[in-house]
Amino acid sequence: MKVEFDYTRSLGPVLSQFMSALKQHSILGGVTSDGRVVVPPPEYDPITHAAVTELVPVSDHGVVQSWSWVAEPVAQQPLEKPFAFAQILLDGADAPLLHAVAVDSPAEISTGLRVRVVWAEDPTGTIRDIAHFEPAGDGSSEGSASMEFGAPEVTGIVSPVKLAYDYAASPEETKFFRGLAEGKIFGQRCPKCEKVYVPPRGACPVDGIPTTDEVELPDRGTVTTYCVVNVPFQGQTIPIPYVSAYVLLDGADIAFLHLILDIDAADVRMGMRVEAVWKPREEWTTDLNNIRYFKPTGEPDADFETYKHHL
Amino acid sequence: MRDVAVVGFSQQQMKELDGSPTCLEILVPIIQDLYEQTGWTKSDIGFWCSGSSDYLAGRSFSFVSAVDAIGTLPPVMESHVEMDAAWAMYEAWIKIQTGEVDTALVYGFGKSSAGTLRRILALQLDPYTTQPLWPDTVSLAGIQAREGIEKGLWDEKAMAEVVARSMTDAAANEWAIRKGATSIDDVLAQPVYADPLRRWDCAPVSDGAAGIILAAGDKAREARQRPAWITGFEHRIEPIALNARSLTESVSTAAAGTAAGVDGVDTAELHAPFSHQELILRNALGLPGDVTINPSGGALTANPMFSAGLNRIGEAASRIWAGNSDKALAHTTQGPVLQHNLVCTLEGRN
Ligand SMILES: [Zn+2]
């Protein structure tokens, strides 16, 4: 299972200047109340807690203060082959910057090694404009005295986050999904209160004990409540307006969410009797989407009394 | 202050949980075990608090699903922290101090094996200038370890001593993942992985869950013959910026320890996910040489996220119940390289 999101973050005055400078291949440090130059600059002074206002350019050359070898890089790190993460004290700064150093083996890096910035090809106004550092020999530089201060060009950053998970189904969920592949719907009954849960849960939320008894349920039931979707959203596949409803399968105690189609959205109502419309058998997988949607059965509506405790 | 004690503790730790990220499969038996230990039922519990993270589960509101393990009809008073459950216990302890409730059940859970743990934990770093580089937990610990080595504060042998003692002690812990009689030479013979760290210097990726029951005064005496009374409970945090604090000492642990009071402690369960971090913690707390450290084997032998810290308190309390300790200290950490630290001291009374 993959989860992705581009975090969009606005920047305060200090980091706006810092990121704008990075975009111009310049690095700024913040001057703190004790006269130290800190990179990246803090928004607030660590001692007086006053806003940091003085920013000064520092060099893009520096010295490794401490490091660790990354034998197996993970996704989205600055380098894809093994490298070192290091605390780097830039010339002109009093506190180290954490970044990557490109060397081929741990033998090629040591504390005290002089390194310099390798700038990214396409500046974005983020910390990734420093692509990584590389050994600098005895080189040094004054940083960019030509840096122009003014209204910052960069006032926000986008941080893409991509995460991957191996999602394991619980034993009850496994039963449920395997059943779906055969056109069956399995729920679980609580041994104490005898409520039937579908999709099944590992424990009865009323009693806090494992649900143990498997129950096969029919693919028809009653609409307990519903909403008409009128607002378009990203990834939408069904033309609006359409109905998303809680369907209480006959014999179940908890309704679950599904689509109601083959009926005008305005005619859907609480108590309406519905049945599942399955995909063609050859398309069945271990997925609730084997049921494309629910459609009206044409039976008389269920009496409110029959589902009022299941709302 | 009200006298509050730990009266129940149950845990499960494993390399890989064959189950869902809500950990319901192991939370249900843990809560049942806590009822058996105390002789109580759901109606005896006044407050519930849990610690877990959606980033670990890879789904939103995962703690809401975990509430199924409690059973919530009639409704219960419940809260959650996106922190190790030791901080959930802190909230529960405050709740009992207010006098609103007399008992609380605290639990934590996490399935670290579902994703790449050292990478996911980069999301707890400064989101502007640090997280976008995805510094993984092991690399940050490696930088911290090297700094201490090169400053002469500790060496590889001292780190190996911690590993050897932990794995040897863990042999008796049914829940430890990495364990067995181990010598310093055995440790030093292991290849270096994330230079300067060996794999054994780093806690194993672990899944698990744990629960604790707290009770005040007579209610505690009713559940346990020799309750583990809480004598100090403090936590302190340091800046998120990795260049705004010294990584080779832990001033937050020292401050929490001073506030909680460490005098007379005979046993300490320290939450050190990396071997050199135990050396930092021991130094920060100023523990005398005769204090028994991590008799359970500690986090180097199993470190389930969001319950490993609570386990330290549970392990310390268990030793007090058994009469093996009169005053014990439990420590928990969270955040990058020992950013946030909690100290809980417990005593047995005769
Ligand atoms: Zn039930």
Side-chain angles (χ1 to χ4, degrees), chain B residues 1 27 66 125 175 189 198 204-205 213 233 240-241 261 265 269 320 342:
Chain B
M1 298 287 272
L27 277 174
L125 298 165
W175 294 113
R198 293 172 170 81
V205 173
I213 291 186
F233 207 171
I240 187 71
V265 163
E269 279 281 341
I320 286 175
L342 175 149

Side-chain angles (χ1 to χ4, degrees), chain A residues 45-120:
Chain A
D45 190 276
I47 299 163
T48 65
H49 309 144
V52 169
T53 52
E54 190 184 352
L55 298 171
V56 295
V58 298
S59 173
D60 60 3
H61 282 57
V63 62
V64 170
Q65 279 195 325
S66 184
W67 58 278
S68 182
W69 188 245
V70 187
E72 296 170 5
V74 294
Q76 294 183 270
Q77 285 183 335
L79 291 152
E80 287 177 9
K81 56 171 191 155
F83 66 99
F85 264 120
Q87 290 276 53
I88 298 159
L89 189 66
L90 296 172
D91 298 346
D94 299 297
L97 168 73
L98 179 80
H99 219 296
V101 178
V103 284
D104 290 330
S105 78
E108 291 169 37
I109 184 169
S110 57
T111 298
L113 179 74
R114 286 202 55 82
V115 292
R116 66 172 167 237
V117 168
V118 175
W119 294 99

Side-chain angles (χ1 to χ4, degrees), chain A residues 7 67 76 111 165 167 205, chain B residues 55 59 72 114 119 146 150:
Chain A
Y7 285 88
W67 58 278
Q76 294 183 270
T111 298
Y165 298 88
Y167 183 82
Chain B
Y55 278 112
R59 52 157 81 169
T72 49
R119 180 170 181 269
R146 183 181 310 281
E150 292 182 347

Side-chain angles (χ1 to χ4, degrees), chain A residues 1 3 7 9-11 15 18-19 36 38-40 43 46 65-78 83 85-87 95-100 106 110-111 126-128 130-131 157 159-173 195 201-210, chain B residues 16-22 24-25 28-29 31-32 42 54-59 64-65 67-74 111 113-116 118-120 123 125-136 138-148 150 193-197 199 239 242-244 247:
Chain A
M1 182 179 66
V3 185
Y7 285 88
R9 304 185 190 280
S10 57
L11 301 174
L15 286 176
F18 177 70
M19 299 300 183
R36 297 163 72 242
V38 178
V39 183
E43 300 266 7
Q65 279 195 325
S66 184
W67 58 278
S68 182
W69 188 245
V70 187
E72 296 170 5
V74 294
Q76 294 183 270
Q77 285 183 335
F83 66 99
F85 264 120
Q87 290 276 53
L97 168 73
L98 179 80
H99 219 296
S110 57
T111 298
T126 70
I127 192 69
R128 298 293 290 252
I130 300 174
I157 59 168
S159 294
V161 170
K162 297 173 186 165
L163 302 172
Y165 298 88
D166 293 326
Y167 183 82
S170 67
E172 297 78 16
E173 288 168 330
K195 279 196 174 13
R201 314 161 80 115
C204 172
V206 175
D207 299 300
I209 57 172
Chain B
E16 209 166 314
L17 168 67
D18 180 22
S20 65
T22 59
L24 264 183
E25 297 87 342
V28 169
I31 291 172
Q32 297 303 320
K42 195 171 82 182
D54 285 354
Y55 278 112
L56 219 57
R59 52 157 81 169
V64 176
S65 316
V67 171
D68 278 6
I70 301 176
T72 49
L73 205 76
K111 184 174 173 171
S113 68
T116 308
R118 67 191 167 104
R119 180 170 181 269
I120 287 172
L123 293 169
L125 298 165
D126 171 87
Y128 302 98
T129 59
T130 316
Q131 181 277 322
L133 303 171
W134 293 88
D136 57 283
V138 175
S139 296
L140 293 179
I143 285 172
Q144 182 183 41
R146 183 181 310 281
E147 197 179 331
E150 292 182 347
Y193 166 62
D195 194 338
L197 301 175
R199 284 184 192 272
L242 296 169
N243 63 4
L247 297 184

Side-chain angles (χ1 to χ4, degrees), chain B residues 172-252:
Chain B
N173 180 350
E174 64 169 312
W175 294 113
I177 292 169
R178 190 185 282 154
K179 58 182 169 181
T182 308
S183 71
I184 296 171
D185 288 342
D186 292 338
V187 179
L188 292 173
Q190 294 287 313
V192 171
Y193 166 62
D195 194 338
L197 301 175
R198 293 172 170 81
R199 284 184 192 272
W200 286 359
D201 287 311
C202 317
V205 173
S206 323
D207 296 345
I212 265 180
I213 291 186
L214 294 181
D218 288 342
K219 193 74 181 161
R221 285 177 210 103
E222 170 193 318
R224 198 51 87 172
Q225 204 170 18
R226 185 176 146 94
W229 298 102
I230 296 171
T231 54
F233 207 171
E234 300 282 346
H235 68 99
R236 299 289 187 274
I237 194 166
E238 292 176 65
I240 187 71
L242 296 169
N243 63 4
R245 59 186 167 109
S246 164
L247 297 184
T248 55
E249 58 188 336
S250 181
V251 294
S252 51

